[in-house]
PDB file of all heavy atoms in Angstrom:
ATOM      1  N   ILE A 124    -215.677   4.333 -82.613  1.00 98.00           N
ATOM      2  CA  ILE A 124    -214.967   4.769 -81.423  1.00 98.00           C
ATOM      3  C   ILE A 124    -214.585   6.240 -81.578  1.00 98.00           C
ATOM      4  O   ILE A 124    -214.120   6.659 -82.630  1.00 98.00           O
ATOM      5  CB  ILE A 124    -213.714   3.880 -81.174  1.00 98.00           C
ATOM      6  CG1 ILE A 124    -212.919   4.362 -79.956  1.00 98.00           C
ATOM      7  CG2 ILE A 124    -212.835   3.802 -82.411  1.00 98.00           C
ATOM      8  CD1 ILE A 124    -211.794   3.423 -79.562  1.00 98.00           C
ATOM      9  N   LEU A 125    -214.828   7.014 -80.531  1.00 98.00           N
ATOM     10  CA  LEU A 125    -214.425   8.413 -80.480  1.00 98.00           C
ATOM     11  C   LEU A 125    -213.227   8.492 -79.549  1.00 98.00           C
ATOM     12  O   LEU A 125    -213.345   8.190 -78.360  1.00 98.00           O
ATOM     13  CB  LEU A 125    -215.579   9.281 -79.972  1.00 98.00           C
ATOM     14  CG  LEU A 125    -215.336  10.790 -79.960  1.00 98.00           C
ATOM     15  CD1 LEU A 125    -215.137  11.325 -81.373  1.00 98.00           C
ATOM     16  CD2 LEU A 125    -216.482  11.519 -79.270  1.00 98.00           C
ATOM     17  N   TRP A 126    -212.090   8.898 -80.069  1.00 97.00           N
ATOM     18  CA  TRP A 126    -210.840   8.758 -79.321  1.00 97.00           C
ATOM     19  C   TRP A 126    -209.824   9.830 -79.721  1.00 97.00           C
ATOM     20  O   TRP A 126    -209.992  10.525 -80.720  1.00 97.00           O
ATOM     21  CB  TRP A 126    -210.235   7.375 -79.586  1.00 97.00           C
ATOM     22  CG  TRP A 126    -209.809   7.193 -81.023  1.00 97.00           C
ATOM     23  CD1 TRP A 126    -210.630   6.948 -82.093  1.00 97.00           C
ATOM     24  CD2 TRP A 126    -208.492   7.290 -81.541  1.00 97.00           C
ATOM     25  NE1 TRP A 126    -209.910   6.880 -83.243  1.00 97.00           N
ATOM     26  CE2 TRP A 126    -208.580   7.086 -82.950  1.00 97.00           C
ATOM     27  CE3 TRP A 126    -207.240   7.512 -80.980  1.00 97.00           C
ATOM     28  CZ2 TRP A 126    -207.458   7.104 -83.776  1.00 97.00           C
ATOM     29  CZ3 TRP A 126    -206.122   7.533 -81.812  1.00 97.00           C
ATOM     30  CH2 TRP A 126    -206.233   7.332 -83.180  1.00 97.00           C
ATOM     31  N   THR A 127    -208.763   9.923 -78.939  1.00 95.00           N
ATOM     32  CA  THR A 127    -207.616  10.748 -79.281  1.00 95.00           C
ATOM     33  C   THR A 127    -206.374  10.070 -78.727  1.00 95.00           C
ATOM     34  O   THR A 127    -206.415   9.444 -77.656  1.00 95.00           O
ATOM     35  CB  THR A 127    -207.751  12.184 -78.730  1.00 95.00           C
ATOM     36  OG1 THR A 127    -206.637  12.969 -79.155  1.00 95.00           O
ATOM     37  CG2 THR A 127    -207.841  12.210 -77.221  1.00 95.00           C
ATOM     38  N   GLY A 128    -205.284  10.143 -79.473  1.00 89.00           N
ATOM     39  CA  GLY A 128    -204.055   9.460 -79.078  1.00 89.00           C
ATOM     40  C   GLY A 128    -202.975  10.434 -78.659  1.00 89.00           C
ATOM     41  O   GLY A 128    -203.008  11.620 -78.982  1.00 89.00           O
ATOM     42  N   ASP A 129    -201.978   9.882 -77.941  1.00 81.00           N
ATOM     43  CA  ASP A 129    -200.871  10.701 -77.461  1.00 81.00           C
ATOM     44  C   ASP A 129    -199.523  10.280 -78.051  1.00 81.00           C
ATOM     45  O   ASP A 129    -198.788  11.115 -78.535  1.00 81.00           O
ATOM     46  CB  ASP A 129    -200.780  10.639 -75.926  1.00 81.00           C
ATOM     47  CG  ASP A 129    -201.923  11.388 -75.260  1.00 81.00           C
ATOM     48  OD1 ASP A 129    -202.574  12.193 -75.939  1.00 81.00           O
ATOM     49  OD2 ASP A 129    -202.165  11.159 -74.077  1.00 81.00           O
ATOM     50  N   SER A 130    -199.245   8.923 -78.041  1.00 76.00           N
ATOM     51  CA  SER A 130    -197.831   8.612 -78.221  1.00 76.00           C
ATOM     52  C   SER A 130    -197.326   7.498 -79.151  1.00 76.00           C
ATOM     53  O   SER A 130    -196.132   7.213 -79.051  1.00 76.00           O
ATOM     54  CB  SER A 130    -197.262   8.314 -76.832  1.00 76.00           C
ATOM     55  OG  SER A 130    -197.826   7.160 -76.282  1.00 76.00           O
ATOM     56  N   PRO A 131    -198.043   6.852 -79.977  1.00 88.00           N
ATOM     57  CA  PRO A 131    -199.489   6.883 -80.270  1.00 88.00           C
ATOM     58  C   PRO A 131    -200.300   6.015 -79.308  1.00 88.00           C
ATOM     59  O   PRO A 131    -199.736   5.406 -78.394  1.00 88.00           O
ATOM     60  CB  PRO A 131    -199.540   6.319 -81.686  1.00 88.00           C
ATOM     61  CG  PRO A 131    -198.399   5.355 -81.727  1.00 88.00           C
ATOM     62  CD  PRO A 131    -197.308   5.963 -80.880  1.00 88.00           C
ATOM     63  N   ALA A 132    -201.595   5.913 -79.575  1.00 91.00           N
ATOM     64  CA  ALA A 132    -202.498   5.230 -78.645  1.00 91.00           C
ATOM     65  C   ALA A 132    -202.323   3.713 -78.640  1.00 91.00           C
ATOM     66  O   ALA A 132    -202.677   3.050 -77.675  1.00 91.00           O
ATOM     67  CB  ALA A 132    -203.950   5.567 -78.983  1.00 91.00           C
ATOM     68  N   GLN A 133    -201.781   3.135 -79.731  1.00 92.00           N
ATOM     69  CA  GLN A 133    -201.639   1.683 -79.854  1.00 92.00           C
ATOM     70  C   GLN A 133    -203.008   0.995 -79.794  1.00 92.00           C
ATOM     71  O   GLN A 133    -203.855   1.263 -80.607  1.00 92.00           O
ATOM     72  CB  GLN A 133    -200.680   1.145 -78.783  1.00 92.00           C
ATOM     73  CG  GLN A 133    -199.249   1.599 -78.955  1.00 92.00           C
ATOM     74  CD  GLN A 133    -198.507   0.856 -80.065  1.00 92.00           C
ATOM     75  OE1 GLN A 133    -199.043  -0.036 -80.705  1.00 92.00           O
ATOM     76  NE2 GLN A 133    -197.284   1.263 -80.317  1.00 92.00           N
ATOM     77  N   ALA A 134    -203.247   0.118 -78.815  1.00 95.00           N
ATOM     78  CA  ALA A 134    -204.473  -0.689 -78.788  1.00 95.00           C
ATOM     79  C   ALA A 134    -205.693   0.173 -78.490  1.00 95.00           C
ATOM     80  O   ALA A 134    -205.758   0.844 -77.457  1.00 95.00           O
ATOM     81  CB  ALA A 134    -204.350  -1.797 -77.746  1.00 95.00           C
ATOM     82  N   LEU A 135    -206.703   0.120 -79.393  1.00 97.00           N
ATOM     83  CA  LEU A 135    -207.942   0.857 -79.205  1.00 97.00           C
ATOM     84  C   LEU A 135    -209.118  -0.081 -78.983  1.00 97.00           C
ATOM     85  O   LEU A 135    -209.806   0.010 -77.965  1.00 97.00           O
ATOM     86  CB  LEU A 135    -208.191   1.755 -80.415  1.00 97.00           C
ATOM     87  CG  LEU A 135    -207.213   2.926 -80.572  1.00 97.00           C
ATOM     88  CD1 LEU A 135    -207.351   3.570 -81.950  1.00 97.00           C
ATOM     89  CD2 LEU A 135    -207.430   3.958 -79.471  1.00 97.00           C
TER      90      LEU A 135
END
Side-chain angles (χ1 to χ4, degrees):
I124 178 172
L125 184 64
W126 65 283
T127 183
D129 289 343
S130 65
Q133 293 283 358
L135 291 168

